[in-house]
Amino acid sequence: MPSCQTFGKNPLMKRIHHLSGILLTGFIGLHLLNHGFAIFGAERHIAFMDHLRILYRHPLIETLLLAAVCMQIFSGIRLAVRKRRISPSFFGHLQIWSGLYLALFLCMHVSAVLVGRMLLHLDTHFYFGVAGLNTFPLNLFFIPYYGLAILAFFGHIAAIHSQKMTRHILGLPPDRQAWGICGLGLVVLVIIFYGLTNGFSGVEIPAAYQMMKG
């Protein structure tokens, strides 16, 4: 196994990390858009998810996504360990810690979905995800669990943007643009939580998903 120093200088591994990140970003973007449809009701959310599943549940695409998740977790942790020694800026720290949280979240979330599908034989759609989010005291865990994941996703993109972007856009320097991405993440968070909790008034969970409430 290569050392952190060697890993950080390996252009092939960096390239794989970059490409798998692009693939996951596209999928997560569609996934968040799907959750945004919850503001129109559970039926619209599920209908939109059914359309997306034609694409991402194709065996080849699903295999590529799972491989990308594994590669991002492995390579991201190794790169984060190495980057900590460079004394990064605020956005450098944000990139590290948001990436580490996303790695933890992906491990837990993907595992939960696979268990739901293969062992519990549940359709892991809207109600699978919102059962804990709309049940006290489970929501004391799931609100920060999902909320931090959304903020970490946008924070990670913002951190990378601040380091890679060199041009001003609409007169804003890269750091200000990055803060704008973080702000967008907060807006998306509120919209998604509004939809997944039926306007913050709670969602009635069908009997088949009552087991998800503990």
Side-chain angles (χ1 to χ4, degrees):
M1 183 176 294
S3 66
C4 294
Q5 187 73 11
T6 303
F7 178 85
K9 293 181 178 180
N10 189 326
L12 177 60
M13 289 301 296
K14 283 189 174 183
R15 186 66 174 168
I16 293 174
H17 184 80
H18 176 70
L19 292 176
S20 61
I22 291 175
L23 178 61
L24 282 181
T25 298
F27 170 74
I28 294 172
L30 288 174
H31 197 58
L32 293 178
L33 177 62
N34 189 178
H35 285 328
F37 264 69
I39 63 175
F40 303 113
E43 293 75 15
R44 291 288 298 277
H45 180 284
I46 294 172
F48 188 63
M49 178 175 281
D50 286 339
H51 288 298
L52 291 180
R53 281 177 171 178
I54 297 174
L55 173 64
Y56 69 74
R57 282 207 175 176
H58 184 281
L60 176 60
I61 301 299
E62 190 167 40
T63 300
L64 287 174
L65 287 171
L66 289 173
V69 168
C70 293
M71 180 54 65
Q72 279 290 294
I73 292 172
F74 171 76
S75 60
I77 291 175
R78 298 296 298 273
L79 288 171
V81 170
R82 179 176 181 272
K83 194 167 185 178
R84 285 186 62 189
R85 304 172 184 175
I86 308 176
S87 299
S89 63
F90 169 78
F91 280 110
H93 282 293
L94 180 62
Q95 182 180 3
I96 292 172
W97 292 109
S98 62
L100 290 174
Y101 183 77
L102 286 173
L104 174 64
F105 178 83
L106 286 171
C107 281
M108 296 175 65
H109 191 61
V110 172
S111 298
V113 170
L114 292 177
V115 168
R117 284 171 57 183
M118 298 179 180
L119 298 182
L120 302 179
H121 305 293
L122 292 173
D123 190 339
T124 54
H125 56 31
F126 177 85
Y127 292 108
F128 181 84
V130 304
L133 192 62
N134 288 272
T135 305
F136 181 83
L138 294 179
N139 53 9
L140 297 179
F141 167 78
F142 282 103
I143 289 175
Y145 171 71
Y146 286 122
L148 286 174
I150 295 173
L151 294 179
F153 173 69
F154 282 92
H156 204 64
I157 293 175
I160 296 171
H161 181 88
S162 71
Q163 297 172 52
K164 301 296 184 182
M165 176 61 67
T166 58
R167 296 186 297 107
H168 283 51
I169 298 178
L170 298 177
L172 297 176
D175 278 6
R176 294 285 294 277
Q177 298 167 32
W179 280 112
I181 294 172
C182 292
L184 175 62
L186 185 59
V187 172
V188 171
L189 169 65
V190 173
I191 292 173
I192 288 176
F193 270 39
Y194 185 87
L196 296 182
T197 59
N198 190 29
F200 303 118
S201 61
V203 173
E204 184 176 350
I205 308 301
Y209 293 87
Q210 290 295 323
M211 69 176 69
M212 303 304 301
K213 297 167 59 175

